[in-house]
Amino acid sequence: MDSELIPQLIAEIALADPRIRRTDEMEQVAQISMWAGILAEVPYDFAVSAVHQHYATSQWAILPANIATRWQAVVRDRMQRDVDPAPPVDPDNESAYRHALAAHRRAVATGQQPPVEHKALSAGPAAAEAERRIAAFGRYIPPSVDDALAAYRPRRAARIATIREGRPDALAVPCPVETCRAAAGTGCTRPGKGQTRHRLAAPHPSRVDAAAERAA
C-alpha cells in the first residue's frame, strides 16, 4: 500500500472506531509511519475489507498487524495452491526465466492472476494419457511389480487377486469375530494353547461379509 493512502485508511477506520485517530501531530506522523511500514505489501482495498471483517466480530481496536496477518494468510494460501508453471521463455536464458517466474509469483501473490493449480496438469489433450499412467501405477508399487513378487509374497498376492476380481477385501476391515478381533491389514487367527494363536489360511466368513457391506 502506498504510504500516502495510510491517512485515508486511518480516517476510514476512525468512522467506526474513534480510538484509532491520534490528535497530537507528532503522534499522527509516527502512527502513519508505523502503519505504512507494516502494511507496505497490503493492497488498500484488502485492508479496508479486513477492517470490515474485524469490526464485524470484534469490539477491540484494530491493529495494523491484524490486517497484515490476514493478508499473509491469503498470500500463503494462493502460493500453496500454485504449481509454478514453466514460464513462456527460453529456459536456457536464465535471467529471463527467473524474471518471468518471479513476475508470475508476484502476480499470484497480489491477486492479479489466479494460482495455477495441480488439477490443470492433467487437463487438455494429455488428460487421457495422464489417467492411463495413474491407473497403471495407482500406488507406490505398480501392478507389474506386484505380479513379479507374487511368488515371494503369497498372502499379499492372494489379497491383490481378490481385489482385482472385484471381490471384497476382507483384510481391509477389522475382524468382528470375538475370539479373533484381527486389526485391518492383518490375517485372522484362532486361539491356541495358552497364549498362542494360530493364523488361519483364509479370513473368517463374517469378516468377508463385513468387508462386502463396507464396499457396498
Side-chain angles (χ1 to χ4, degrees):
M1 185 189 312
D2 193 316
S3 59
E4 295 180 357
L5 294 174
I6 296 298
Q8 180 178 335
L9 176 64
I10 293 176
E12 188 162 346
I13 297 173
L15 295 175
D17 188 353
R19 294 172 296 180
I20 295 297
R21 189 187 299 276
R22 295 291 187 270
T23 56
D24 182 83
E25 185 174 344
M26 292 186 63
E27 289 185 355
Q28 290 177 353
V29 173
Q31 181 186 36
I32 292 172
S33 176
M34 177 174 290
W35 281 57
I38 297 173
L39 303 180
E41 302 297 326
V42 182
Y44 178 81
D45 290 342
F46 181 90
V48 172
S49 176
V51 170
H52 292 172
Q53 293 175 36
H54 175 83
Y55 284 109
T57 59
S58 175
Q59 296 180 352
W60 293 96
I62 194 169
L63 299 173
N66 299 135
I67 301 173
T69 300
R70 287 178 182 266
W71 174 247
Q72 291 164 8
V74 169
V75 172
R76 183 166 54 252
D77 174 69
R78 289 173 179 166
M79 300 311 295
Q80 287 177 343
R81 290 187 288 117
D82 187 65
V83 297
D84 262 355
V89 298
D90 182 0
D92 292 331
N93 187 337
E94 183 177 350
S95 177
Y97 190 93
R98 288 179 178 274
H99 178 77
L101 187 60
H104 165 78
R105 291 177 177 176
R106 187 164 52 251
V108 172
T110 57
Q112 298 176 37
Q113 69 181 56
V116 178
E117 301 190 45
H118 289 279
K119 62 183 180 181
L121 294 177
S122 60
E129 175 64 14
E131 291 296 333
R132 185 191 70 77
R133 294 189 181 189
I134 291 173
F137 286 94
R139 306 181 309 282
Y140 289 112
I141 301 178
S144 59
V145 176
D146 273 331
D147 294 339
L149 297 175
Y152 305 98
R153 303 183 302 181
R155 191 177 299 277
R156 177 178 174 83
R159 186 180 180 189
I160 292 173
T162 298
I163 296 172
R164 289 179 178 175
E165 292 170 5
R167 293 183 286 126
D169 176 20
L171 298 190
V173 299
C175 183
V177 176
E178 186 65 33
T179 56
C180 178
R181 297 297 185 186
T186 61
C188 288
T189 62
R190 64 176 176 80
K193 292 183 178 180
Q195 299 296 320
T196 63
R197 299 193 67 84
H198 298 291
R199 183 178 293 275
L200 302 182
H204 286 105
S206 57
R207 189 177 189 181
V208 176
D209 293 341
E213 293 177 4
R214 176 178 175 178

